[in-house]
Amino acid sequence: MLKKIVKTPIATLENDMTLSLPTTVHIELTSSCCFSCRHCYNFWRPEKTKPVFMSQAELDRILDELIKNGIMHVIFTGGEPLLNSPLLLQGIKKAKGAGASVTCNSTLAVANSAGKLKKLKEAGLEHVLTSLNSHIPERNDYLVSMKGAYAKIVDGIKNAVSVGIRISVNMIISETNIGDIYETAKLASELGAKKFFGTRVTPHITKDVNEQKEFLIYQKEARRIIDELMRVEKDFPMQVGTLVPFPLCLLVGDDDKKRYAKFYSHGCPAGNKMISLNANGDAHACVHEKESYGNIFEAGLKGVWANMKKWRSGEYFPDECKACEMFDECNGGCRLCALAYAGRMSSADILRIGWPVKPKGRVAEKEPTVKLSGLKCSVPSNLRFRKEDGFYMIDRFGSEILCVKDDIALILEAWHKKGGTFSPADFGLKDEAIVGKLIKEKLLNEEK
């Protein structure tokens, strides 16, 4: 039976909803960076010695193309976008003015004074994702290949927080710093970060994986990362997560599933919700991906999106994962890790172990149900709707979207426009499991 609501628009036997265009786009304002991180996808680019800076005219062309095609969320990135800060400022203003939400990925190590960051905040930048790879200055500086980097990053975080920019800290975890997770998170919390991501490193795809001992994360290391993140969430007032998904079968057992529910939130958006544009306009599904699917200046957004259709057709995903009840939540882990470790995008993630026992309902959580009698609901005002073929893409926040079949989405859209409370059953929402899922996924508010 085909699902009515999905988080991940990848074709499977249970889902036929795939997006006609992405909802989120990374825009690299420059390939130049103040660091040369050992783990970075820029580290292996052959053109790394010839930095590219996007021009105002080029960014305007890209944003016009994105706005015309209903893009919901823009992430300005690099390299280091603050090395092209005048363009970043103008890009924020234009994207926000068109109704898109905006965030920025930055080291915060350059152009990071409170005065300069305040201008970005006033233009509409509310959030920055930055990297801090160890609480030990010398270790952090080794990982980014620059002496004094730690002090610059910390100053940048402090200044961003002081002007009201929300900070998330991402720690790229490898053999070198896996023992530093808890103390690095503690420092991030003390600096004012609201989220802390512990992200397993993706080996460089241009080198043999066996030559990259520093970057290899197997099951033992992965469980250590997850356990440390759960300890962080318990002890500090921050949300935790990871930016490179774990196969959820790594977290086996009912008790483990409940404990690690934080990681049952979303899979990878690459090529099914999101694309990444280099500073020269070349398009990728994933920022770690070497392959280009064309240039947006030549093929347009529709052209490059069509070229990466294998990311949505299911061809890049193992059959055993697509048949799993949890595929909508994790998508089988990371495709670029599968490529790096096994040599094929469609290989199983190195962390996949499969479910030891899998009768129907054993692993997947049953959909929550609610009693419809007397239930009053409202539709959150922050939702954004985009019509697709037979369904709607509904954006909840930033890049967080769900795909919902027309018969349900049209009711939500109507009450989103109208406002107020209503009884779901009176307007055609008579399936208790569907209504329960809508409430769980915050597409409906239950009014007490």
Side-chain angles (χ1 to χ4, degrees), residues 101-115:
S101 54
V102 175
T103 61
C104 178
N105 296 345
S106 170
T107 67
L108 289 175
V110 297
N112 65 359
S113 69

Side-chain angles (χ1 to χ4, degrees), residues 26 62 138 187 202 225 250 341 357 367 415 439:
H26 289 248
I62 289 174
E138 296 78 12
L187 172 62
T202 303
I225 291 169
L250 179 69
Y341 282 94
V357 182
E367 295 294 352
W415 280 96
I439 292 172

